[in-house]
Amino acid sequence: MNRTVRMADSSMRRNSGLASAGIATLKAAVGEILLQAGIVINGDNPWDIRVRDNRFYPRVLKDGSLGLGESYMEGWWDCENLDKFFFRLLPTYPEEKVKKNWKMLLYLFRTVILNASRKSNAFTIGRKHYDVGNELYKKMLDKRMVYSCGYWKDAQNLDDAQEAKLDLICRKLGLRAGDRILDIGCGWGSLIKYASEKYGVSALGVTVSEEQAKLARENCRGLEVEIRLLDYRDISGKFDHVVSVGMIEHVGYKNYRHYMEIVHKSLKDDGLFLLHTIGNNRSEITGDIWVDKYIFPNSMLPSIKQIADSLEGLFVMEDLHNFGTHYDNTLCAWLNNFEKNWHELKSSYDERFHRMWRYYLQCFAGAFRSRFFNVWQLVLSKKGVPGGYAAIR
């Protein structure tokens, strides 16, 4: 009996030793990837990570970006300043150092071959992201509920930065009283409400979010503004100007050309189209798999090459303005509002959502700070502005 117990005890110690050795190997592999970005496991810097569960190591090596985000949501690791972590990590393209597994291959097949942004999926982003709750966005965003990058050139706070961005767009379009504009992806109606009040225009705003449409109609009551729950492919009519802020990110590269054709058909010959988008430094055909699953389903960020290809023969590029660094300030302001008001939100969302949303905001803040992503405003005309377009900043 004693001999059997001793043999079992010896076997357990041996297996435990093998497991420890395996974790040490996996930890070293992850540590090597992070060290290339100046990040240390269990280090003392605010951008270093603190691993609380050893399952983190095999999970990240197996699932890459998806494993990194999900393991954070589960509380397997923490970081004092996630934005500083991503500021260092993203420019090293760590995903390329992790072998793609079947989940990534399935994601690529669904996104590329099946065209995840096809019309039948148009309202998915509305249901899964924008319909998550208007109260969340009211607590997080500025007073006008603008869910895109603010313009901080002369602004000291989020409200001022967002109003400055709205006015910048109106001035770039040269809005005049009596103009009729189309806003593709109008959100909660902040831009067209501002343009109607300050510049005397009428407007049609379209969105794929029921919650956005409902609140936008309330916000724009009494103005010459119409809000429709509508996919961009079903837009009809002619407009003096067209604007789209933060919407082409949900179009998908297979649909960019058709999107531009819709805008071209909707725009009067002497009108302007302002496209505001997050921009990718690389031409890619998918988005990030964690972002796709938890934040923006069926989304991807266009490169300047992809945008240029899509508008060739349709539009003249009048102006290109990059103020991507301003998104860092915007996202940090959103995060501050979110954390400050979490006590009022937590009855509607659990701690896993809390960690997910924090991860999302800080990941993107680090991405813009490192110039991994950009924010572009393009002003486009159909035939060229006679005498040239005067850029406005």
Side-chain angles (χ1 to χ4, degrees):
M1 183 68 177
N2 290 339
R3 182 172 179 272
T4 301
V5 170
R6 286 196 301 273
M7 289 177 63
D9 183 57
S10 176
S11 177
M12 289 175 62
R13 288 198 303 270
R14 185 166 60 253
N15 290 336
S16 176
L18 289 172
S20 298
I23 289 298
T25 301
L26 297 176
K27 180 179 179 179
V30 174
E32 184 178 344
I33 294 171
L34 294 177
L35 197 57
Q36 294 178 38
I39 298 165
V40 176
I41 296 173
N42 299 325
D44 297 325
N45 294 309
W47 55 83
D48 291 332
I49 68 169
R50 283 76 172 172
V51 176
R52 307 190 185 286
D53 191 315
N54 283 338
R55 288 177 293 176
F56 164 78
Y57 302 113
R59 184 68 192 282
V60 169
L61 290 173
K62 181 170 72 74
D63 289 339
S65 169
L66 181 63
L68 184 69
E70 289 186 335
S71 61
Y72 180 83
M73 290 163 61
E74 295 298 333
W76 293 3
W77 65 279
D78 273 304
C79 178
E80 183 179 340
N81 291 115
L82 277 170
D83 52 338
K84 294 181 178 180
F85 168 77
F86 284 110
F87 168 75
R88 285 161 175 78
L89 181 67
L90 290 176
T92 68
Y93 291 93
E95 194 76 13
E96 296 178 356
K97 301 176 179 67
V98 179
K99 185 177 180 181
K100 291 180 173 62
N101 67 358
W102 66 270
K103 290 182 182 178
M104 178 60 74
L105 295 175
L106 184 62
Y107 170 63
L108 289 170
F109 176 79
R110 181 178 63 81
T111 304
V112 179
I113 305 300
L114 300 182
N115 188 7
S117 298
R118 61 193 180 276
K119 189 174 179 179
S120 60
N121 284 346
F123 290 84
T124 302
I125 180 65
R127 291 191 301 271
K128 291 193 174 181
H129 187 78
Y130 300 107
D131 290 350
V132 72
N134 282 336
E135 282 305 309
L136 168 64
Y137 294 107
K138 285 179 181 178
K139 298 296 184 185
M140 185 179 84
L141 304 178
D142 64 300
K143 64 182 180 182
R144 296 180 184 274
M145 293 186 71
V146 183
Y147 195 25
S148 54
C149 179
Y151 192 54
W152 293 80
K153 181 172 175 280
D154 299 310
Q156 300 301 314
N157 57 63
L158 182 61
D159 285 343
D160 290 348
Q162 294 295 15
E163 184 166 325
K165 190 268 299 297
L166 298 181
D167 199 63
L168 179 70
I169 291 172
C170 293
R171 289 185 292 120
K172 284 184 176 183
L173 288 171
L175 296 186
R176 296 175 296 182
D179 284 348
R180 179 161 171 77
I181 65 173
L182 168 66
D183 185 354
I184 305 176
C186 66
W188 294 276
S190 54
L191 173 59
I192 46 182
K193 175 178 166 63
Y194 180 87
S196 180
E197 291 174 336
K198 302 294 183 181
Y199 288 85
V201 305
S202 62
L204 169 64
V206 301
T207 176
V208 293
S209 164
E210 291 186 7
E211 290 297 309
Q212 283 188 335
K214 181 170 61 177
L215 187 54
R217 291 184 186 116
E218 294 176 13
N219 291 340
C220 296
R221 186 177 292 119
L223 300 172
E224 287 191 64
V225 170
E226 180 185 4
I227 306 295
R228 294 183 192 168
L229 188 66
L230 194 69
D231 176 53
Y232 72 91
R233 282 159 283 218
D234 293 323
I235 290 170
S236 61
K238 286 281 188 181
F239 301 85
D240 294 294
H241 302 291
V242 178
V243 61
S244 185
V245 179
M247 184 271 173
I248 198 173
E249 295 94 319
H250 307 307
V251 168
Y253 85 104
K254 282 196 166 188
N255 308 304
Y256 290 156
R257 181 67 178 186
H258 187 46
Y259 173 83
M260 292 296 181
E261 290 170 345
I262 295 291
V263 174
H264 187 270
K265 183 180 70 172
S266 304
L267 183 65
K268 291 182 179 179
D269 286 347
D270 60 349
L272 293 176
F273 170 39
L274 186 141
L275 177 67
H276 174 119
T277 180
I278 298 174
N280 200 337
N281 290 323
R282 292 183 172 190
S283 292
E284 297 179 344
I285 56 176
T286 66
D288 176 82
I289 190 170
W290 182 86
V291 173
D292 178 87
K293 182 174 180 179
Y294 290 100
I295 308 299
F296 298 116
N298 307 326
S299 64
M300 60 165 291
L301 305 180
S303 70
I304 201 65
K305 178 181 183 297
Q306 289 168 326
I307 292 175
D309 286 345
S310 71
L311 59 84
E312 186 171 340
L314 295 175
F315 292 104
V316 175
M317 173 85 75
E318 299 288 357
D319 187 38
L320 173 59
H321 183 189
N322 185 346
F323 55 95
T325 56
H326 295 218
Y327 224 149
D328 182 12
N329 289 341
T330 305
L331 284 152
C332 288
W334 290 347
L335 175 69
N336 182 64
N337 287 343
F338 174 68
E339 296 289 15
K340 182 177 64 177
N341 293 306
W342 176 247
H343 68 284
E344 297 181 43
L345 295 168
K346 63 183 181 180
S347 61
S348 302
Y349 306 94
D350 60 17
E351 183 59 24
R352 193 169 189 267
F353 180 92
H354 186 198
R355 292 180 67 87
M356 177 188 78
W357 209 256
R358 178 197 298 151
Y359 185 90
Y360 148 54
L361 294 174
Q362 291 188 278
C363 173
F364 274 83
F368 286 104
R369 190 180 309 162
S370 67
R371 307 307 303 277
F372 189 77
F373 293 148
N374 305 282
V375 171
W376 299 319
Q377 280 190 354
L378 289 73
V379 178
L380 308 169
S381 66
K382 285 176 126 178
K383 300 179 179 178
V385 174
Y389 177 85
I392 294 171
R393 298 292 184 267

